[in-house]
Amino acid sequence: MNSVKVFSPASIGNIGPGFDVLGLAIDGLGDTVEAREISGNEVVIENIFNADHDISNNPDKNTAGIAAKETLRALDIKNGVGLTLTKGMPSGSGLGSSAASAAAGAYAVNELFNGGLSEDELILAAMKGEAYVSGGYFADNVAPSILGGATLTQSIDPLKVSKLGTIDELILVLIIPNIQILTKNSRDVIPNKIDKRHFITNMANTASITAAFCKNDYALLKDNLIDMIIEPARTKLIPWLADIKSAAVKAGADGCTISGAGPTIFAISNSHQRAKKIKYEMEKEFNNHGVECTGFITTPSNAGSREVMMD
Amino acid sequence: MNSVKVFSPASIGNIGPGFDVLGLAIDGLGDTVEAREISGNEVVIENIFNADHDISNNPDKNTAGIAAKETLRALDIKNGVGLTLTKGMPSGSGLGSSAASAAAGAYAVNELFNGGLSEDELILAAMKGEAYVSGGYFADNVAPSILGGATLTQSIDPLKVSKLGTIDELILVLIIPNIQILTKNSRDVIPNKIDKRHFITNMANTASITAAFCKNDYALLKDNLIDMIIEPARTKLIPWLADIKSAAVKAGADGCTISGAGPTIFAISNSHQRAKKIKYEMEKEFNNHGVECTGFITTPSNAGSREVMMD
C-alpha cells in the first residue's frame, strides 16, 4: 500500500528577543514520520522509535497523531493511516521537538494523499498537535519546521506566517543540557507587564534579526540576540545561564541565548574555527556546573519538512 | 565662493508600531539648506524662508545650525559657514520637520567640504540638532532623512542604523491637520509599563513591516500598521483619531495611523484610485470635526539627503 516518509527539522523558537514571533529551522536534527494507508478509518500510531521518554501511542494524545488527524479532517479524507514516529532529538530541550513531530505528521499525511493542503493549512494542523503538549497555539517552532529558514509569525488568528530566508554565513553552536524544561512552566515565569525601555530594545533587536534573515546579512544578526524580557525571566529556571553565555562570548561568540523555552543554549558565529572553541568552552562551563550536556555545531536549514527516501 | 544646496526629505517616524525603531522618508516634502563658505570661523544662519513659526537664527538654537556645527567639529574644520534654510513642511506636524532641517544642515556642510563623513557620522550630527527640539536622541526621523527609504534603528548608543529599502507599490495618503503637537509632550503620555500581549503584537507588526521593506513586499505591510501601545496613549492628544482612521479604512485603506508623534495621520494603499477616495474621506472627516487640514498623496522616497541644483 501507499506510504511516505517525511523529515521535519528541529527549530529554535524566538531567535532570542523575538518571543512568539520568530523561529529558525536548523540542520542535522529533526523527527521523521512514516505514514501509510491502512484499512479502516482510524489513525494508528504503529511505532515510536528512539524516544527519550514515554510518548503516548494514543493518536489523540500524540502530537504527530493529532496533527495527522487534523490534516485528514482538512483534506476531508476518511481513510485509515498508520504512523511510525522516529524521534531525532531530545524532548523538552527547547528545540521544537513536539513541533517537529507534529509538522512531520501533518506533512506526511498530506503527501500520502497527494498534497492538497497549503503551507498555512499544514501549519495550522501541526499547531493543533503541538498545542496538546505546549498548552497553547504558537507557530514559532511549527512554522520553521514546515517552511524552513527563519520564519515570522505576524498573527495566530487569523494565521499569518511568512518565511524570511536564511543567512549563509551563520554557524550555530547548540548545547543541549541533560535536563528538561516544559514549555508550560517556562511560559508561567514571563511577566505580564513589561518595562518600556525593554520593550523598545526587544522590538529593535527583533526587527534587526528579521532584516538579517531577509537580507542574508550576518552583520545585522550579530550582537542582536539580546532579549531583555523573556530570557531574564527564564533565567530562574536555568541558573547557570549567565556563566554559559559569558563563556561563549569570551570564546568569540557574536551572541548567545536560550533556544525557545530552553534549556538548550545556542551561540552564533561566522567562523568554523571560533565555533569549535565556543563549543568547547560552553561544554567546559556546563561541566563546571556539574550539568551533563551534548554540544554540536550546525547551520540553519533552509529546507523545511520534506519527503525522504524510504529505507 | 564655494556653496552647495541640499534637500532632505520629510519622514514618518515609527511607521505605526515601530516606536523609536522604524522611520520612512517620503517624497514631495522636505527642507532645503544652502551652505556657503564665509569669512571668519562662525556658523551664521543667514536666511530662513517659508517658516510657519518663529525659528531662531541663533545657530546654537536652530536644528540646522547645531547640526552644521557638529559636522564642522567632526570634520575638524574651522571655516565660517553661512546657512540659508528653506522650510518645505509645517513644524510640529509629525513629519520630521526638525530632523529634515538638521539632516540638510549636516549633509550640506559635509558636501561643502568634500564629504569626509560617513552616513553614521552625518546621522549623529543631525541627531544633535534634532535633540535640541525633541528633547532626546532619536534617529527615527533623522535616519530616513539622511539615508532615504525605510530605516531601522538598532541602537542609539552606539549608533547602529541601517536602511531597509522601499516598497514600490506603496502609496501614502497624508493628512496634516492645522494644529501642532510637540514631540516632548507627546512622549510624556507613553506608559512606562506595557502589557505583554501588546508587546508581542507590536513586535510582530514591527517585524512584519521590517520584512515588508526588506523584501519590497506590500502584502507584508498591509494590515500591520497596528500599534497597541503608543497610538492609544497619544489618542488623548488627538481625540478625533478613531473617526479619521475609521473613515480611511472604510474608504479602502490597508492601514491608517499617526505619523511619528502626530498630529499628521497617514493611510496606505496600493491603488491610486483608492488613495484619492481615502484622501477625500479623511479630509471630509476632519471637516466634520471642525479641524482644518491639508491632505496629499505621495510615495516613499528611496533617496535621502542629496545635493540639488542652485537656483
Side-chain angles (χ1 to χ4, degrees):
Chain A
M1 264 190 143
N2 197 12
S3 74
V4 297
K5 190 171 174 180
V6 163
F7 175 83
S8 294
S11 57
I12 291 173
N14 305 344
I15 321 184
F19 183 64
D20 280 356
V21 174
L22 298 178
L24 177 65
I26 59 176
D27 212 28
L29 280 181
D31 290 352
T32 305
V33 165
E34 212 179 304
R36 65 183 193 105
E37 282 191 68
I38 57 174
S39 56
N41 56 9
E42 298 291 314
V43 168
V44 178
I45 311 281
E46 298 184 315
N47 297 288
I48 299 172
F49 294 125
N50 206 22
D52 61 358
H53 75 297
D54 198 23
I55 296 179
S56 172
N57 61 6
N58 176 341
D60 295 320
K61 294 179 175 181
N62 175 297
T63 56
I66 298 166
K69 290 180 84 168
E70 283 299 322
T71 306
L72 286 168
R73 198 190 323 261
L75 287 165
D76 199 22
I77 284 175
K78 314 252 184 267
N79 301 29
V81 174
L83 299 176
T84 293
L85 171 61
T86 306
K87 294 296 296 178
M89 68 181 110
S91 303
S93 60
L95 288 168
S97 171
S98 52
S101 293
Y107 198 95
V109 169
N110 188 48
E111 287 300 303
L112 188 66
F113 297 106
N114 300 315
L117 297 192
S118 69
E119 286 174 335
D120 278 5
E121 288 171 306
L122 288 175
I123 292 169
L124 280 170
M127 280 168 67
K128 285 250 167 92
E130 199 210 1
Y132 180 77
V133 170
S134 68
Y137 285 93
F138 313 109
D140 40 337
N141 289 108
V142 165
S145 263
I146 294 279
L147 302 175
T151 58
L152 166 70
T153 305
Q154 296 172 67
S155 80
I156 290 296
D157 186 19
L159 183 73
K160 286 201 282 180
V161 166
S162 44
K163 179 171 176 171
L164 299 174
T166 191
I167 299 175
D168 295 331
E169 272 187 64
L170 175 57
I171 300 165
L172 301 159
V173 181
L174 286 165
I175 316 281
I176 310 176
N178 191 16
I179 56 167
Q180 256 199 36
I181 291 183
L182 294 178
T183 306
K184 269 182 199 170
N185 300 338
S186 71
R187 291 187 79 87
D188 288 344
V189 298
I190 300 164
N192 282 318
K193 289 286 178 188
I194 285 152
D195 190 278
K196 178 173 72 181
R197 289 166 312 139
H198 294 165
F199 150 66
I200 294 170
T201 301
N202 264 52
M203 193 164 70
N205 291 348
T206 297
S208 300
I209 297 168
T210 301
F213 282 99
C214 288
K215 290 174 172 277
N216 192 355
D217 183 352
Y218 183 77
L220 284 167
L221 179 67
K222 190 176 178 305
D223 304 327
N224 283 316
L225 287 186
I226 293 157
D227 170 13
M228 306 297 287
I229 298 164
I230 316 301
E231 191 189 277
R234 285 181 170 164
T235 299
K236 294 170 204 163
L237 304 174
I238 315 172
W240 23 260
L241 181 61
D243 290 342
I244 306 292
K245 282 181 67 164
S246 143
V249 169
K250 228 185 263 171
D254 293 318
C256 178
T257 186
I258 46 178
S259 173
T264 293
I265 317 280
F266 75 100
I268 62 168
S269 182
N270 61 347
S271 147
H272 278 281
Q273 208 181 335
R274 262 200 309 281
K276 282 183 205 162
K277 184 162 193 290
I278 294 163
K279 174 175 174 283
Y280 174 82
E281 295 294 341
M282 287 173 82
E283 287 172 337
K284 203 172 90 181
E285 194 59 33
F286 268 109
N287 286 340
N288 290 346
H289 283 270
V291 178
E292 276 181 55
C293 68
T294 309
F296 62 104
I297 295 171
T298 187
T299 58
S301 168
N302 202 29
S305 295
R306 66 265 195 190
E307 223 179 309
V308 291
M309 296 295 286
M310 302 290 282
D311 296 329
Chain B
M1 265 190 141
N2 197 11
S3 73
V4 296
K5 190 173 174 180
V6 163
F7 175 83
S8 293
S11 57
I12 290 174
N14 306 345
I15 320 184
F19 183 65
D20 280 357
V21 174
L22 299 178
L24 177 64
I26 59 176
D27 212 31
L29 280 181
D31 289 352
T32 306
V33 166
E34 210 178 305
R36 64 184 194 104
E37 282 192 70
I38 57 175
S39 57
N41 55 8
E42 299 291 315
V43 169
V44 177
I45 311 281
E46 298 183 313
N47 297 288
I48 300 172
F49 294 124
N50 206 22
D52 60 0
H53 74 297
D54 198 24
I55 296 178
S56 172
N57 62 6
N58 176 341
D60 296 320
K61 295 180 173 180
N62 174 298
T63 56
I66 297 166
K69 289 180 85 169
E70 283 300 321
T71 306
L72 286 168
R73 195 188 327 258
L75 287 166
D76 198 22
I77 284 174
K78 315 250 184 270
N79 300 31
V81 174
L83 299 176
T84 293
L85 171 61
T86 307
K87 295 296 296 178
M89 69 181 111
S91 303
S93 59
L95 288 168
S97 170
S98 52
S101 292
Y107 198 95
V109 169
N110 188 48
E111 287 299 303
L112 188 66
F113 297 106
N114 298 316
L117 297 192
S118 68
E119 285 174 336
D120 277 6
E121 288 171 306
L122 288 176
I123 291 169
L124 280 170
M127 280 167 68
K128 285 251 169 92
E130 199 209 2
Y132 180 77
V133 170
S134 68
Y137 285 94
F138 313 108
D140 40 337
N141 290 108
V142 166
S145 262
I146 295 280
L147 302 175
T151 58
L152 166 69
T153 304
Q154 297 172 67
S155 79
I156 288 296
D157 187 18
L159 184 72
K160 287 202 283 181
V161 167
S162 44
K163 179 171 176 170
L164 300 174
T166 192
I167 299 174
D168 295 331
E169 270 186 65
L170 175 58
I171 300 164
L172 300 159
V173 181
L174 287 164
I175 316 282
I176 310 176
N178 192 18
I179 57 167
Q180 256 200 37
I181 290 183
L182 293 178
T183 305
K184 270 181 198 171
N185 302 338
S186 71
R187 291 187 79 87
D188 289 343
V189 298
I190 299 164
N192 284 317
K193 290 286 178 188
I194 285 151
D195 190 277
K196 180 173 70 180
R197 289 166 311 139
H198 294 164
F199 150 65
I200 294 170
T201 301
N202 263 53
M203 193 164 69
N205 291 348
T206 296
S208 300
I209 297 169
T210 301
F213 282 99
C214 288
K215 291 175 173 277
N216 192 356
D217 183 352
Y218 183 76
L220 284 167
L221 179 67
K222 191 175 176 305
D223 303 328
N224 283 317
L225 287 186
I226 293 158
D227 169 13
M228 306 296 288
I229 298 164
I230 316 301
E231 190 190 279
R234 285 181 170 164
T235 299
K236 294 170 204 164
L237 305 174
I238 315 171
W240 23 262
L241 181 61
D243 290 341
I244 306 294
K245 282 179 67 165
S246 143
V249 169
K250 228 183 267 173
D254 294 317
C256 177
T257 185
I258 46 179
S259 173
T264 293
I265 318 279
F266 74 101
I268 61 168
S269 181
N270 61 346
S271 146
H272 277 283
Q273 207 182 336
R274 263 201 307 281
K276 279 183 207 162
K277 184 163 192 291
I278 294 163
K279 174 176 175 283
Y280 174 82
E281 295 294 340
M282 288 173 80
E283 288 173 336
K284 202 172 89 181
E285 192 60 33
F286 268 110
N287 286 342
N288 289 347
H289 283 271
V291 178
E292 275 181 57
C293 67
T294 310
F296 61 104
I297 295 171
T298 186
T299 60
S301 168
N302 201 29
S305 294
R306 67 264 194 191
E307 222 177 311
V308 290
M309 297 295 286
M310 303 290 282
D311 296 327

